[in-house]
Amino acid sequence: MKAALSTRALLRSLLLVQAAAAGAIGLAAMRYGGLASPWLALGCGLAAVLLVRLLITANNFVMTARFASPTPAPFRIGPGAMLRLFAEEFMASMLQSSWFMVHAVARQRIYPGSTAPPVLLLHGYGCNSGYWAHLARHLDAARISHASLDLEPLLAGIDDFVPLVRRAADALCEASGAQRVIIVAHSMGGLVARAYLRAHGSARVAHVFTIGTPHHGTVLAGKGVGVNASQMQRQAGGEALESAWLRALGASESAATRALITSLYTHHDNIVAPQTSSVLEGARNIAFGGVGHVALCRNGRVLARLMDEIAKLSTPADIL
């Protein structure tokens, strides 16, 4: 039986396809466009590939705009800030998919004597542990123990990831000497965290921070593939907006479970639509503006607030 395709392998394959496309466009530019310099021709090929990637990011913003929730007045931004938002999101997408996630290796980093509960990092749909490169640097600087893992197979159901989370949480507690972990989860990872709480309770969990998680689904999930994408779907209209899986997850949660969760989200999310889908009733909700979906966990404002929230949970009581 063949092993399931990993996100890392898929991204490397896509990079090879893009490199081949750039080379083919460069050759065509030399043969049919009259370019004499091979370097100039290659530059044209790379520019064409970057343009396609730019259009993909732009298309995400266009699609979410059709189903966007109203932006509250304090979070509305002008054309200049919107341009910066787009540039940051495009750069984040390029760096994640072309570097950090391509070279990702799930890791565990232990800092003996830390008074903060260790942090377990859960990435989102189509990503891997490399997504956390920027936050990991902040955790290292603060000497906070942490671990990341790859939620695979790529297209599995969200509940299929729960055993991975359980093993990772137990291993992190054992290695750090802590009784509980803080879960920090981006996008789909927040739903994985909630599914873990449904299956195993909160004995191992000090708190859950979800970042850009579609708690009530996203219309764009209909464009995705895999069981997990279907579970995150939200209809554009009608009585049953959320998927049956999301409705069942919500119905299973108590007020105490919701109180363990803080949802950080952006009113300019270009993947979660409507953006208020990230608002989870009974949880604490912290809104941002002027930042996109992929850029959430490399944006300075978001990371500063997250680290501040983690610091508030630091207490020797969580260490055995």
Side-chain angles (χ1 to χ4, degrees):
M1 182 176 178
K2 293 182 179 179
L5 180 66
S6 70
T7 300
R8 186 182 301 104
L10 176 61
L11 290 174
R12 287 176 177 174
S13 298
L14 290 174
L15 281 178
L16 288 175
V17 170
Q18 292 174 52
I25 293 170
L27 286 175
M30 290 183 67
R31 178 171 295 183
Y32 305 108
L35 292 181
S37 169
W39 294 110
L40 183 58
L42 180 59
C44 289
L46 291 174
V49 171
L50 286 174
L51 178 60
V52 172
R53 296 289 301 270
L54 190 74
L55 291 174
I56 291 172
T57 300
N59 186 57
N60 287 339
F61 278 97
V62 171
M63 287 194 295
T64 52
R66 294 176 56 199
F67 308 102
S69 48
T71 303
F75 297 97
R76 293 173 190 164
I77 60 177
M82 184 60 74
L83 184 60
R84 289 191 295 272
L85 157 65
F86 180 84
E88 181 187 33
E89 181 68 7
F90 175 67
M91 182 62 69
S93 299
M94 287 294 298
L95 289 173
Q96 289 291 353
S97 62
S98 301
W99 183 258
F100 293 115
M101 291 193 292
V102 172
H103 298 91
V105 177
R107 72 175 194 170
Q108 183 183 91
R109 185 68 59 85
I110 303 300
Y111 291 100
S114 174
T115 59
V119 175
L120 181 61
L121 304 168
L122 305 182
H123 63 78
Y125 177 81
C127 297
N128 63 19
S129 54
Y131 179 77
W132 299 108
H134 294 83
L135 177 57
R137 293 171 190 164
H138 285 72
L139 294 172
D140 284 333
R143 299 188 61 78
I144 296 175
S145 300
H146 58 278
S148 59
L149 68 157
D150 296 326
L151 299 174
E152 294 174 346
L154 179 62
L155 306 180
I158 291 173
D159 293 297
D160 295 330
F161 301 133
V162 169
L164 300 176
V165 177
R166 182 183 187 184
R167 289 196 293 270
D170 289 346
L172 185 54
C173 283
E174 181 177 358
S176 64
Q179 298 176 4
R180 300 179 296 171
V181 301
I182 294 171
I183 296 179
V184 175
H186 178 248
S187 197
M188 181 196 73
L191 300 177
V192 176
R194 289 173 61 195
Y196 167 85
L197 290 173
R198 174 172 63 179
H200 300 294
S202 60
R204 282 291 199 193
V205 179
H207 202 78
V208 175
F209 293 97
T210 68
I211 305 173
T213 292
H215 289 297
H216 301 287
T218 172
V219 175
L220 266 66
K223 306 294 184 182
V225 295
V227 178
N228 44 13
S230 66
Q231 290 172 329
M232 292 187 286
Q233 284 188 19
R234 179 184 178 94
Q235 302 300 319
E239 294 182 1
L241 295 177
E242 304 174 4
S243 71
W245 187 88
L246 284 170
R247 293 197 302 274
L249 178 65
S252 72
E253 293 173 326
S254 65
T257 298
R258 291 287 178 91
L260 274 176
I261 301 171
T262 296
S263 174
L264 290 79
Y265 70 100
T266 171
H267 283 290
H268 296 98
D269 200 304
N270 54 306
I271 298 295
V272 177
Q275 289 74 19
T276 50
S277 174
S278 292
V279 175
L280 186 62
E281 296 77 6
R284 186 174 173 220
N285 297 281
I286 301 174
F288 293 86
V291 57
H293 185 79
V294 177
L296 274 166
C297 290
R298 72 187 300 268
N299 178 272
R301 290 180 293 129
V302 178
L303 289 179
R305 181 62 182 271
L306 176 62
M307 291 301 297
D308 182 60
E309 295 293 330
I310 291 174
K312 293 176 182 177
L313 295 169
S314 298
T315 166
D318 281 308
I319 305 298
L320 291 173

